[in-house]
Every structure is written in structure tokens, then in C-alpha cells.
Amino acid sequence: MTAVLVAAGAFLMTLIGGWVAQRTGDRRHLVLGFAAGLMLGVVAFDLLPEALHQAPEEVHGVPQALLMFAAGFLAIHIVERAVAIHRGHEGEYAEHTHGQRPAQVDGHAHAHGRARAGGDGRQGIGLTAAFALVGHSVMDGFAIGAAFQAGTTVGTVVAIAVVAHDFADGFNTYTITRLYGNNRRRALTLLAADALAPVTGAAITLLFTIPEHLLGLYLGFFAGFLLYLATSDILPEAHSPHPSRTTLLCTLGGVGFMWLVIGLAG
């Protein structure tokens, strides 16, 4: 039940992310930079060491946990390429033009024009991306539950990383839905689904106990998944509007914070 209670924190953080997306200010990049640092720290200092401990067997000279780490990174990359989740950050968060007047989408300058943004095809892209984000939020909750099965320390640090990440999830779910021409009610509905997803994922893990070896493989896979989100999604978003030293310091602070948490928990 601890995992489900922690997942409730992810539920709240997702909603906060969506709320910030509607009222984003000039400090969003600092929050995202810190969140990315948390994710990098949990991958390097906890997930990979735990995965290697529980799944150390090698395949052609490489530990199975590290193979799963690479698989997790590549899996989310392939999915994003296939369903066009990955957006052009310059186009989303920075004002730009393509021969048209920029249109505003909940405070973000966007230059594709209102008529084009309202097209059914563009709305479909936004919905596909949002549903994919909801799907991986279910996996976030599953990761919390699986991590708590591995131990309280692992569960705690994974929970911190996931909760921090879900702020960006809520932010992105609302933003991308609106960005592609969907109305505010639809965006809020998907935001609510994204918020409930981690609780659902964590609850699933209450139904069974994951064998130690499989748990190690999953933790390796999730580490690759988390690293991709931090480096290919969160960090570019953090630096695209404000490529500043302050954002970099926030990222370093996030990594240092996770080092401190894991050291104290150990």
C-alpha cells in the first residue's frame, strides 16, 4: 500500500504540472532542470546499481541489466519516433514565425496559425501523444510498486524521481494537447487521466510479487527509459527558452540532491 500512497503524490504532482502549464511563467526552465537532475541521479546512483545486483548474469560479455538498460532507452526512442511524440522544442516554447502571425496557445507563442491548428489531423497527433504520455505514466506507477518490492530505499528514490518527472508529464500532457488544436476541456480530461495513471500502475503491483531476477531486468529497463526522458525530453525543454547557467546549476543541484538522499537512505 505504501507504493499506492506514494503514487498519490505523483497524481498531485501531475495536476500541479498541468496547472503550471496553464499559468507558466519565466521560471519553468529552472523546475524542469532540477527535475532532470533528479532523474539522472536516480539512474546513476540507484537504479543501475540495484539492477546489476539483482540481474548480474551476462549475455555475450555484457550484464543482462545493462542490456535491458539499453533496451529501455531505445524502446522509448522508437515509440516517440513512431507516434511523433517528440516535438520540436523550438517551435513549442519559443516565439517563431513561418510567414504567419504567431498564435497563442495558453500563453505559448505558436506560429502555425489558428486555422491550421484546428485541423483534425493535428488534433489527432496531439491526442496520440497525450495518450502515449498517459500510458507511460501507468508504467511510472508500476515502477514505483516494483521498486518498493526491491526495497524501501530503492522505492523511495524511484518515487522521488517519478514524482518529479510527473510534474513535467502533467505540463507536457496539457501543453501538447492544446498545442495541436484540442480544446481546453479535452486537455483537462487527458490531464486527469495522466494524473490517475501512476496510481493505477502502482495498484497493479499489489496483485503479485515480481521474481528478483525479473525485477533486476525491469529496473535496468526503466533506468534506460528514465535516462531518455531526462536527456531527450526534459533537458531540451528546460534549455530551449533559457539556455542559462542557472538552469544548468539546477540540474547539478538535482543530481547532488539524489546523491544526498541515497547516501542518507543507505
Side-chain angles (χ1 to χ4, degrees):
M1 290 303 297
T2 302
V4 176
L5 292 175
V6 171
F11 168 86
L12 293 175
M13 190 59 70
T14 302
L15 293 180
I16 291 171
W19 180 82
V20 171
Q22 299 177 66
R23 298 166 174 80
T24 186
D26 200 42
R27 300 298 179 188
R28 177 185 62 86
H29 59 294
L30 301 180
V31 177
L32 292 179
F34 185 75
L38 292 178
M39 294 164 68
L40 291 172
V42 76
V43 167
F45 306 145
D46 193 74
L47 284 181
L48 281 181
E50 186 66 27
L52 287 168
H53 175 73
Q54 299 198 29
E57 294 84 0
E58 295 185 353
V59 175
H60 198 59
V62 178
Q64 294 178 8
L66 292 183
L67 290 174
M68 291 301 293
F69 170 72
F73 188 96
L74 292 174
I76 184 61
H77 175 63
I78 291 169
V79 169
E80 287 204 352
R81 292 298 94 188
V83 301
I85 297 175
H86 199 73
R87 287 84 61 202
H89 299 292
E90 174 270 334
E92 285 180 35
Y93 300 112
E95 186 171 354
H96 66 294
T97 60
H98 298 291
Q100 302 174 6
R101 293 181 61 190
Q104 291 292 328
V105 182
D106 285 336
H108 298 282
H110 187 60
H112 293 287
R114 296 182 188 276
R116 184 181 174 190
D120 291 340
R122 288 180 57 76
Q123 289 180 0
I125 292 173
L127 291 177
T128 300
F131 278 121
L133 288 169
V134 171
H136 96 59
S137 288
V138 174
M139 295 305 296
D140 283 349
F142 188 86
I144 292 175
F148 271 103
Q149 288 190 18
T152 302
T153 300
V154 179
T156 300
V157 295
V158 168
I160 291 172
V162 169
V163 169
H165 166 244
D166 279 353
F167 170 86
D169 259 7
F171 189 98
N172 288 336
T173 298
Y174 183 88
T175 299
I176 195 172
T177 305
R178 292 289 282 144
L179 190 66
Y180 283 94
N182 293 282
N183 60 37
R184 185 171 180 271
R185 177 179 297 179
R186 185 174 292 176
L188 289 174
T189 299
L190 285 167
L191 175 63
D194 193 44
L196 289 170
V199 180
T200 302
I204 291 173
T205 63
L206 298 178
L207 303 177
F208 57 90
T209 300
I210 305 172
E212 181 175 300
H213 180 72
L214 291 180
L215 186 58
L217 295 179
Y218 177 75
L219 291 176
F221 184 88
F222 182 67
F225 186 92
L226 208 61
L227 181 66
Y228 183 89
L229 291 177
T231 57
S232 297
D233 194 28
I234 307 289
L235 279 176
E237 287 188 16
H239 286 281
S240 61
H242 295 279
S244 68
R245 293 179 181 177
T246 307
T247 305
L248 177 59
L249 289 175
C250 285
T251 302
L252 294 174
V255 173
F257 178 77
M258 286 310 307
W259 186 14
L260 177 63
V261 168
I262 293 169
L264 291 175

